[in-house]
């Protein structure tokens, strides 16, 4: 999923000709932990952590304390790429730039979680079922086919490593709220499941 949808386009940006005092006294900086600075053309000039500049002489130009960012996102990147960069950088926010290096916003942990909620369908009511499948081609397709035969609509599928190297843990979310029906389908087809539960869903 492209991060363009999740980019925070209202994240405050500060000109590189501002002073530290001007930035820290600006109401826009209240609550920020990460300063994104742009040049006169709106291109990414550098970044700084508020904790690193709060004790600097207020008259100091921000251009003297900002650093060229090692990590930033393109607006064409995938949300998974942004998540990996946040983990690697240990930051909570990353600047987002377009192909001309113009800053179009920022993406942070909160936006990543919003994206995760959507593409896992965590916010939708239905059923969540966790199964352990043999790690081989066609194993997941069979389960999907079993559900499709009974016209059960799948909202999302996530796989992860299981305890055994020969197996995968698969979490399937459907819009069917009758967990008894889902359990019956799987049992009829000989598919064992770790857990099955009804999900109420929630909005943001």
């Amino acid at each position: 999923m492209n991060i363009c949808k999740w980019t925070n386009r209202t994240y405050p940006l500060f000109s590189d000709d501002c002073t530290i005092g001007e930035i820290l006294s600006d109401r826009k900086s209240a609550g920020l932990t990460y300063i994104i600075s742009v040049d006169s053309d709106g291109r990414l000039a550098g970044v700084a952590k508020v904790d690193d500049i709060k004790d600097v002489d207020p008259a100091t130009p921000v251009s003297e304390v900002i650093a060229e960012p090692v990590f930033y996102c393109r607006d064409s990147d995938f949300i998974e790429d942004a998540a990996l960069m946040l983990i690697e950088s240990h930051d909570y926010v990353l600047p987002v730039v377009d192909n001309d290096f113009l800053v179009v916003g920022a993406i942070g942990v909160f936006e990543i979680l919003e994206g995760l909620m959507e593409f896992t369908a965590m916010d939708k009511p239905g059923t969540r079922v966790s199964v352990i499948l043999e790690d081989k081609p066609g194993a997941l397709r069979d389960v999907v086919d079993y559900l499709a035969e009974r016209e059960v609509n799948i909202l999302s599928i996530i796989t992860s490593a299981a305890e055994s190297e020969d197996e995968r843990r698969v979490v399937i979310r459907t819009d069917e709220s009758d967990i008894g029906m889902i359990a019956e389908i799987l049992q009829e087809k000989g598919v064992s499941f770790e857990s099955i539960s009804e999900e109420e869903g929630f909005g943001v």
Side-chain angles (χ1 to χ4, degrees):
M1 187 178 294
N2 191 280
I3 69 168
C4 187
K5 178 179 179 180
W6 305 107
T7 299
N8 179 356
R9 299 180 185 278
T10 62
Y11 194 90
L13 305 177
F14 298 93
S15 172
D16 61 356
D17 60 7
C18 288
T19 65
I20 299 298
E22 288 173 335
I23 291 176
L24 295 182
S25 63
D26 192 319
R27 287 191 305 171
K28 293 187 299 182
S29 68
L32 295 183
T33 59
Y34 192 77
I35 300 298
I36 299 176
S37 179
V38 296
D39 64 17
S40 58
D41 294 322
R43 290 183 171 83
L44 182 59
V47 297
K49 294 181 179 178
V50 171
D51 283 346
D52 294 338
I53 66 172
K54 63 183 180 182
D55 295 325
V56 174
D57 183 348
T60 304
V62 71
S63 58
E64 293 184 10
V65 298
I66 56 176
E68 183 177 342
V70 176
F71 298 96
Y72 60 87
C73 294
R74 300 275 184 181
D75 58 4
S76 57
D77 287 342
F78 293 112
I79 200 165
E80 300 96 309
D81 301 324
L84 289 173
M85 281 190 277
L86 282 170
I87 292 171
E88 190 171 351
S89 68
H90 299 284
D91 288 323
Y92 293 101
V93 177
L94 293 174
V96 179
V97 300
D98 63 14
N99 289 333
D100 296 319
F101 219 59
L102 296 171
V103 179
V104 296
I107 190 164
V109 173
F110 181 74
E111 288 78 27
I112 297 293
L113 290 175
E114 279 191 314
L116 176 67
M117 184 177 69
E118 179 169 310
F119 62 68
T120 59
M122 291 167 58
D123 58 332
K124 305 298 182 184
T127 298
R128 175 191 184 278
V129 57
S130 176
V131 299
I132 300 295
L133 299 178
E134 189 176 353
D135 190 7
K136 67 175 185 179
L140 176 58
R141 181 195 61 201
D142 291 341
V143 177
V144 171
D145 287 346
Y146 299 152
L147 295 173
E149 288 172 5
R150 297 284 290 272
E151 298 185 345
V152 174
N153 185 40
I154 293 175
L155 299 176
S156 73
I157 298 175
I158 302 174
T159 76
S160 64
E163 284 70 20
S164 169
E165 293 183 357
D166 300 324
E167 296 176 324
R168 298 287 295 178
R169 175 172 284 105
V170 181
V171 175
I172 301 173
R173 293 179 185 271
T174 78
D175 65 0
E176 176 56 61
S177 59
D178 186 347
I179 62 175
M181 172 187 173
I182 301 296
E184 179 186 343
I185 293 172
L186 298 177
Q187 289 168 346
E188 283 181 357
K189 300 297 185 178
V191 179
S192 60
F193 49 87
E194 286 187 306
S195 63
I196 184 168
S197 60
E198 183 178 353
E199 302 284 296
E200 295 183 356
F202 55 91
V204 185

